[in-house]
Amino acid sequence: MLNPLFWYQAIALAFSQIWANKSRAFLTALGIIVGVASTTSVIAALTGLKSKVLTQFESVGASKVFIFPNRPDDKPRNLYPWEKVRLKIEEARALRDECESIRAITPITEVGLEVEAGDRKIEGLSVTGIWPDWHEIQNRSVTSGRPFTNIDESNERQVCLVNDDAIKELHLPTDAVGQFINLGGRRFLIVGVIETVQSRFFGLNTSSAEIFIPFSVAEKFQPRDYFLRIEALLKSPELADEGTAEMRWILRKARGIPAGDTESFQVEAIDRFIQQFKTLAAGITAIAGGIVGISLLVGGIGIMNIMLVSVSERTREIGLRKAVGATPNAILLQFLLEAITLCLVGGFVGLACGRLIAYGLTKIPDAQLDEANIPLWAVVLAFAFSAGTGLIFGMFPAIKAARLDPIEALRHE
Amino acid sequence: MRLIEVRDLQKVYRVGVETIRALNGVDLRIERNDFIAIMGSSGSGKSTLMNMLGCLDRPTSGTYLLNGKDVSHMGAAELARVRNEEIGFVFQSFELLPRQTALENVELPLVYAKGGWRDRRPRALAALALVGLSDRVHHRPNQLSGGQRQRVAIARAILNRPSILLADEPTGNLDSATTVEILAIFRKLHDDGQTIIIVTHEDEVAAHCDRVVRLRDGKVISDLPILEDSAGRHRGGSGAKGSLEHGALGAC
Ligand SMILES: Nc1ncnc2c1ncn2[C@@H]1O[C@H](COP(=O)(O)OP(=O)(O)O)[C@@H](O)[C@H]1O
Ligand SMILES: [Mg+2]
């Protein structure tokens, strides 16, 4: 019905209208600019953080499960003494022997020992006791020598694994396999060397010198009621719910917790953490969306106001256009296009500002935001929301223009 | 078929308790290629009749047949189409879009036309040539004199080759020399076959036309041809011939 010339001139007119009233258009679109800029930069930051955190989680392993003691908060403390709450090695064994959904499991305990190598002596170095499955669970194999075996564990052999940092700190030869070191006054044979992992998690450097010994050996250094935690690997990440349920059932049975009673331990799959994080990120994104909604509402009212001003300023022009044959629909469309164009230009400027802010975020040292960027869906959404704002808030002024009586309009001063 | 046939046209305005009969039973017949002046004192209903003939407004009662089509009951969109295809307006205050060039102003009716937008450039240039403005094509209205502006407006009005050219006090804002120029353009368009209706209160303007319709209190009080001798002005032969025919019609 409307010819291409109409569309061309309507859009050209919309831009020339903005150009002719630059500062007014800028002030009007400010609400939209600020709204789009703030929302897209928040989304950019979240996106960057999310991909960072998720890759870190995934490097840990999505099918990993952590088990640790947990005294219920809602129960009197004396009902749950530490010796009852703490995890026991028998429980780790029960899980290993009975749980169908796990592939690997290890108890982990740390003991502070005096370490001696030749004339080097370090007080109170943390030595970790582990089962051989630890290699698979942590995805850390030896770079030379051999990993731990079940024989080391069952025969309580005085063997140890060291990492590169430990070799450096203890001034051991680079190939330390076959060397002896003293741990807590006993002689241990270094059977393997493991890599130092740069496990930077939110800026915290968690590992430097590490020494590992069989769990059964570590246990002998520990006092009564020592602390141990358990890490396990599920056969697949999809088993997160099923597997944790099974483990809880086994632990409840081992502790004799009746059905309905609060558990004195906690079983958490990494997958659950990932889900929780994703839920959190989605929540924040939704809040950011809400902010854009409000700011667009505010911006939209400004748009409506300026469009009403424009309609009244151009009443004679509208009258003339009607006299030469513009239908009410053509006038309506023309003013809607103007409102939408103004909003889209505002959205574009806002997006450019958001992009700039996102770039600024990536340059903040140690903020973990170096992957911050505005995803395509947010760009599309920003434009869609802007256009929608123009459409909704431009409608009333456009209808007003379309309904103007041509004679009245031409008589307007 | 007559170009325009108006029967018992009434337009009533209500302002508060008062009723104003702006048009009070107007009958009018207009043939193709007529050149008519509508005259009357201020408030006699000239502009109201003009708006009605130009399909800008609908009558309270009565019928208006344009090219045999009854336009008195059409909706706003239909009327807009009729205005686009059949009517060309020339206003006292020109009504040009200030930020657009003469050419763009002339092209405006094609923005809302069904077809013809493809060859808008040659058509607009031809219309501007017809009013003698080929050398001002890219000027904006504020770079043109009053007479030149009105010529742009005339070029815009004739662009869609309308059935009727309606001019409401087209020379009201112009000096007498420029008035003569503008009237010469109307005369030329008329000689090319254009039907023209001019609303004016100036006798000198009316004298350039072939037929004068006088209004008083919303009624036609006289509808007479202007004869060559009585007008005392030089005319083209065809115009004089036409006026005689119209005179006969006006009498019946
Ligand atoms: N929109 C309107 N509302 C009320 N009265 C009007 C309106 N338009 C015109 N009139 C009245 O109708 C009469 C004719 O007006 P108009 O056609 O403009 O006269 P003219 O153009 O001959 O001076 C006048 O009395 C005028 O006051
Ligand atoms: Mg008037």
Side-chain angles (χ1 to χ4, degrees), chain B:
Chain B
M1 184 175 52
R2 274 200 190 87
L3 178 61
I4 286 176
E5 177 129 13
V6 165
R7 268 185 249 120
D8 193 26
L9 211 61
Q10 307 259 359
K11 183 71 188 181
V12 180
Y13 290 109
R14 277 176 224 289
V15 182
V17 290
E18 240 182 307
T19 308
I20 298 159
R21 298 187 175 277
L23 292 181
N24 193 6
V26 170
D27 292 288
L28 197 62
R29 282 160 203 157
I30 297 172
E31 300 293 330
R32 263 167 251 283
N33 205 22
D34 265 1
F35 191 4
I36 302 181
I38 295 178
M39 297 196 73
S41 57
S42 182
S44 57
K46 304 186 295 291
S47 294
T48 307
L49 178 60
M50 187 82 175
N51 294 336
M52 224 59 80
L53 294 178
C55 297
L56 282 169
D57 205 356
R58 270 163 297 200
T60 312
S61 69
T63 50
Y64 171 19
L65 301 180
L66 174 62
N67 276 325
K69 254 188 307 185
D70 186 358
V71 295
S72 32
H73 301 292
M74 281 186 174
E78 276 180 294
L79 284 177
R81 175 131 321 285
V82 173
R83 288 197 296 272
N84 186 250
E85 287 166 1
E86 311 274 4
I87 317 281
F89 286 101
V90 176
F91 301 96
Q92 178 172 359
S93 45
F94 323 133
E95 306 298 347
L96 299 178
L97 300 181
R99 277 206 296 277
Q100 315 230 314
T101 63
L103 189 66
E104 288 164 336
N105 267 290
V106 173
E107 284 173 3
L108 192 66
L110 287 179
V111 167
Y112 303 105
K114 255 196 187 125
W117 56 273
R118 259 177 232 281
D119 49 343
R120 63 189 183 280
R121 274 291 125 89
R123 279 173 69 174
L125 288 171
L128 280 167
L130 206 63
V131 297
L133 275 184
S134 292
D135 53 344
R136 295 286 189 278
V137 167
H138 298 294
H139 288 228
R140 282 170 211 285
N142 61 3
Q143 299 164 325
L144 296 171
S145 72
Q148 288 170 331
R149 285 182 212 185
Q150 194 60 302
R151 285 197 260 169
V152 173
I154 293 170
R156 179 179 65 196
I158 60 171
L159 185 76
N160 259 352
R161 300 174 191 116
S163 305
I164 326 161
L165 182 61
L166 287 171
D168 194 352
E169 308 269 7
T171 58
N173 284 359
L174 302 175
D175 60 43
S176 53
T178 317
T179 298
V180 171
E181 277 172 36
I182 294 296
L183 289 171
I185 291 172
F186 280 131
R187 168 57 56 188
K188 189 166 81 181
L189 292 172
H190 171 250
D191 290 346
D192 291 344
Q194 181 68 56
T195 311
I196 300 171
I197 304 172
I198 297 178
V199 167
T200 184
H201 60 268
E202 294 169 85
D203 289 325
E204 303 90 89
V205 174
H208 280 76
C209 304
D210 295 341
R211 176 181 159 195
V212 177
V213 174
R214 283 183 194 277
L215 291 184
R216 185 186 291 159
D217 298 331
K219 281 190 175 123
V220 177
I221 53 163
S222 77
D223 185 349
L224 296 168
I226 295 176
L227 300 173
E228 204 172 352
D229 308 331
S230 65
R233 278 173 208 261
H234 172 75
R235 286 266 172 83
S238 67
K241 188 163 153 267
S243 71
L244 282 171
E245 282 168 18
H246 301 156
L249 273 170
C252 67

Side-chain angles (χ1 to χ4, degrees), chain A residues 145-369:
Chain A
R146 63 165 180 86
F148 278 165
T149 63
N150 284 328
I151 315 244
D152 297 326
E153 176 64 29
S154 54
N155 290 0
E156 297 171 15
R157 289 170 70 172
Q158 297 202 161
V159 290
C160 68
L161 301 170
V162 292
N163 74 350
D164 304 327
D165 280 9
I167 290 171
K168 256 177 258 156
E169 275 196 45
L170 294 167
H171 299 311
L172 290 164
T174 323
D175 187 15
V177 177
Q179 300 281 321
F180 284 93
I181 54 171
N182 283 339
L183 301 176
R186 296 179 188 215
R187 248 162 82 85
F188 278 76
L189 174 66
I190 297 174
V191 293
V193 176
I194 48 177
E195 240 180 314
T196 303
V197 287
Q198 282 305 321
S199 130
R200 274 173 60 88
F201 197 79
F202 286 97
L204 287 167
N205 216 333
T206 51
S207 79
S208 53
E210 289 177 303
I211 300 173
F212 298 90
I213 56 175
F215 191 88
S216 53
V217 180
E219 213 177 2
K220 288 193 285 185
F221 287 108
Q222 294 282 28
R224 239 172 74 90
D225 298 339
Y226 64 95
F227 175 86
L228 78 89
R229 60 196 165 88
I230 299 172
E231 286 186 15
L233 211 54
L234 292 165
K235 283 180 176 152
S236 80
E238 291 78 53
L239 286 171
D241 290 333
E242 210 180 311
T244 50
E246 195 185 355
M247 285 185 233
R248 284 169 53 203
W249 185 79
I250 291 166
L251 286 172
R252 286 178 82 104
K253 201 177 63 163
R255 294 191 168 196
I257 301 171
D261 249 29
T262 324
E263 286 164 355
S264 50
F265 57 85
Q266 207 169 337
V267 181
E268 288 290 357
I270 269 282
D271 190 63
R272 175 64 32 79
F273 288 123
I274 296 175
Q275 292 310 327
Q276 278 173 0
F277 181 79
K278 280 182 176 165
T279 312
L280 182 75
I284 298 173
T285 310
I287 291 168
I291 296 169
V292 85
I294 291 166
S295 61
L296 285 185
L297 190 78
V298 174
I301 289 167
I303 298 289
M304 182 154 84
N305 185 45
I306 218 71
M307 288 311 294
L308 283 173
V309 169
S310 182
V311 168
S312 114
E313 277 175 353
R314 289 155 67 199
T315 301
R316 280 182 88 95
E317 178 191 323
I318 295 164
L320 173 80
R321 286 176 183 275
K322 290 194 158 193
V324 300
T327 58
N329 278 342
I331 298 289
L332 181 91
L333 214 61
Q334 157 117 51
F335 278 87
L336 272 186
L337 281 172
E338 278 192 41
I340 291 170
T341 304
L342 183 56
C343 288
L344 281 178
V345 169
F348 182 81
V349 174
L351 210 56
C353 294
R355 185 92 186 72
L356 221 63
I357 295 169
Y359 179 76
L361 290 177
T362 65
K363 296 292 158 203
I364 302 174
D366 279 332
Q368 300 288 323
L369 289 173

